[in-house]
Amino acid sequence: MSWINTLPVWQWIILGLIPPLIFLLYFLKLRRTPLEVPSTYLWTKTIEDLHVNSIWQRLRKNLLLLLQLLAVAMLILSCSRPGCQGEQLVGDRFIFVVDQSASMSATDTLDGLTRLEESKKQINTLIERMKKNDTGMLISFSDRAIVQQSYTKNHSLLKRKLQAIQQTERGSDINEALLAASGLANPGRTSDRNSNVDVQVAEALEATLFIFSDGAVKSVPTFSLGNLTPEYRPIGSVDPPNNVGITAFSINEQMDLGGQVQVFARLQNSSLVDSTIDVELYVGEELQDARGAVKVPGLGSASLQFELTDLMSGLEKATPIRLKVETPDVYLQDNQAFCILNPPRVANVLIVSDYNKYLDLVTKTERVRKIANVQLEDRSYLKDKVYLERATLGFYDLIIFDQCSPDQPPACNAVYWASIPRTEGWHTNENLTTTPIVDVDSSHPLMFAIQMGNVNILAGQTLTGPQGSISLIDAPAGSVMMIGSRAGFEDLVIGFPLLEYLANGDTSINTDWPKQLSFPLFIQNVITTLGGGARFSTSRANTPGSIVLLKTQTPVDSIQVQDPVGSSTKLIPRSDNIFSYSQTDQSGVYEVRSGSAADLDQMFAVNLLDRLESDLAVRQELKLGYTEIQGKTVTAEARKDYWTWLVLLALALISLEWYVYNRRVLI
């Protein structure tokens, strides 16, 4: 609170004389004409008036005097301009972008609120500081962006839309939110090739961009701020909070060991200090195994392996397997993960190749014959009506294309060896010559127990996949094996051939990988993971918000899908007899029932399993394109005056005094 002296001394003296003058008005003695009367009984009011105007009469209570003095006091106080120091927003257009991804549910803020709640609290304060004619926009984002409210001057509407933003379990990608924010600030241009006229689509409008996030977002390599002035508000504790989460979870059946099931998990610690936790493994609702005092190093990870026996014998229906971190922390969404153990089923696998002896040999092993029916065809089969019908209706569980690619992607998972899908996002880049393997993503089920350190490649190409693709094998120049999603299916693309087909019909060896033990293991992983031969539907990466494609063993008119909270959704099949389910916003186990049957038909699991979301360290800077934004407050200091309220109060007192005087109200 502060006061500003805006008047010279002589004016303050004049103001100070006003209250005494008001008092004197109530002490004045009126000059009256003497008049003799026979009695004073009828002149009581006159005598009372004489008492009031007597200077020696003690001053009585008078409401008018009190109101007049209060009004003058308010006016005198307003001249001193009382007020306080505060903050104001610079500009007149503001865009509020709030992160609602999974990591924003962490409760490491000073008030014990979640990061999302703290973001909403701060944005609400900024909206209150906006001037009357300021306009604002509200955008929320996770792995997708939602414009909660376009530009408006209705600040109350902005607050209501802000409070309606809900927490999600999705990953984090700010790209869409930035594109939505820059729509009016950086309008595009259009041109007419015939007239050579290049004009701007709309007038560029400058705006201040507020980003409320913990900074755990995917990189934004090409974004240009243009007319946007960014301000990044990091949300969360400065030091990484205590959190150990599950970032990988998979199951694998060892058929050679009598149907023994192995469960693999990876735990990640985002805090600076070592953590000791307890974990439990459930099969259905039954506790199967428990591990106490599992140590996870600070800013590191730890792997777990469970051996489950006799689970496959007599298995008649899908059974969920759940891993749970019992030790509580500030972030609970990564404390559980799910897998589904399904009854035995042999996968239908098609290999399209002009006779690749390595693929032919490895698919004839006893292990592969137990889990898949393998059909080998040459490239001409892609034009056959039988193939077109089966590929469209989802007859195959997996198709391996060796140095070829169909015109239309099949309705199943696919492997493209030395070729790429004819879908958007896939590209080949730099040509490779005699290159080694430098890195393998061993956490992915496809690369389980695969050692590639002694593998060499003579020729190939590096790969670029669509957004969300994962690199499984890297060479010095880039990725040579990637997996990406395609409308509920997955495409595995390998950038180098096993054999090169020569013009004379012979072949030459392009890599020594088929001579390594890891090659047949890799083919088995491909068939079990992508072909369903492992009998585990969770081998597909179902993440919150993803689309899950479901098939039934026999054609049905509809299915019912029940989510983890019990809500049921009826689905009708597409023309290819595949059901598309998109309401996967919550992690957990989803149950599928065919038609009106009450019996469970199948299950699938949805897991976050995102290392970026489980790393709760708050990034103190955010890189947007080539601009690095430091997390700090840049609002300008401003003085908030109260003198206008005092003047309004004085006017109200004067109005009340006028009313009292005219109504002859006395105290």
Side-chain angles (χ1 to χ4, degrees), residues 528-576:
T528 56
T529 302
L530 297 181
R535 309 171 180 98
F536 308 130
S537 63
T538 51
S539 59
R540 294 179 179 176
N542 297 323
T543 57
S546 64
I547 297 176
V548 178
L549 298 183
L550 303 168
K551 294 191 298 183
T552 56
Q553 293 183 353
T554 58
V556 295
D557 295 332
S558 64
I559 62 173
Q560 295 282 343
V561 181
Q562 182 174 298
D563 63 21
V565 297
S567 299
S568 185
T569 303
K570 182 179 180 180
L571 300 180
I572 298 176
R574 305 183 320 198
S575 58
D576 55 2

Side-chain angles (χ1 to χ4, degrees), residues 67-78 642-658:
L67 292 176
Q68 292 167 2
L69 292 177
L70 285 175
V72 172
M74 294 300 103
L75 292 174
I76 293 176
L77 286 176
S78 66
Y642 299 136
W643 67 270
T644 53
W645 296 102
L646 294 175
V647 171
L648 291 175
L649 181 59
L651 292 176
L653 291 172
I654 292 174
S655 300
L656 179 61
E657 191 269 347
W658 175 86

Side-chain angles (χ1 to χ4, degrees), residues 74 93 186 290 425 513 529:
M74 294 300 103
R93 302 177 69 83
N186 304 306
W513 191 15
T529 302

Side-chain angles (χ1 to χ4, degrees), residues 353-372:
S353 173
D354 288 343
Y355 186 66
N356 187 317
K357 61 181 180 181
Y358 296 120
L359 291 177
D360 181 51
L361 181 63
V362 77
T363 54
K364 290 181 178 179
T365 62
E366 181 181 359
R367 163 68 170 165
V368 173
R369 287 202 306 268
K370 289 182 178 180
I371 62 176

Side-chain angles (χ1 to χ4, degrees), residues 101-126:
S101 63
S103 61
M104 295 296 286
S105 66
T107 56
D108 60 330
T109 60
L110 293 177
D111 297 332
L113 303 174
T114 66
R115 293 179 175 182
L116 177 60
E117 291 170 342
E118 177 64 24
S119 299
K120 293 163 68 172
K121 178 181 176 182
Q122 293 189 22
I123 294 175
N124 189 78
T125 301
L126 291 177

Side-chain angles (χ1 to χ4, degrees), residues 414-421 425-432 435 437 457 459-467 469-484 491-497 522:
V415 177
Y416 294 83
W417 217 306
S419 61
I420 61 173
W426 286 106
H427 305 283
T428 55
N429 303 315
E430 182 179 348
N431 292 325
L432 303 175
T435 182
I437 302 299
I457 303 170
Q461 292 178 310
T462 57
L463 303 168
T464 299
Q467 185 175 357
S469 299
I470 300 173
S471 177
L472 301 181
I473 298 180
D474 290 319
S479 176
V480 294
M481 182 186 294
M482 299 189 76
I483 185 169
D491 291 328
L492 175 66
V493 181
I494 303 171
F496 59 92
F522 173 75

Side-chain angles (χ1 to χ4, degrees), residues 168-245:
T168 72
E169 296 187 20
R170 295 170 176 252
S172 183
D173 189 344
I174 198 174
N175 284 273
E176 285 188 18
L178 293 176
L179 292 176
S182 65
L184 291 179
N186 304 306
R189 304 184 70 85
T190 184
S191 60
D192 188 342
R193 182 166 52 185
N194 297 325
S195 60
N196 293 324
V197 175
D198 183 17
V199 296
Q200 189 163 293
V201 174
E203 180 185 359
L205 299 174
E206 296 183 356
T208 303
L209 176 66
F210 290 94
I211 300 175
F212 292 80
S213 172
D214 54 17
V217 298
K218 294 181 179 178
S219 61
V220 188
T222 60
F223 181 74
S224 176
L225 288 167
N227 291 305
L228 293 174
T229 302
E231 180 178 334
Y232 169 47
R233 297 287 185 94
I235 305 297
S237 59
V238 176
D239 296 327
N242 177 34
N243 179 64
V244 176

Side-chain angles (χ1 to χ4, degrees), residues 378-424:
D378 58 28
R379 300 183 189 181
S380 63
Y381 184 64
L382 296 179
K383 304 297 182 180
D384 194 291
K385 291 183 179 180
V386 176
Y387 163 77
L388 295 175
E389 180 180 353
R390 290 183 172 182
T392 302
L393 296 179
F395 173 82
Y396 298 109
D397 298 296
L398 172 67
I399 300 179
I400 300 176
F401 299 101
D402 180 33
Q403 301 186 51
C404 60
S405 180
D407 295 333
Q408 296 294 330
C412 65
N413 294 333
V415 177
Y416 294 83
W417 217 306
S419 61
I420 61 173
R422 298 183 183 182
T423 54
E424 184 178 357

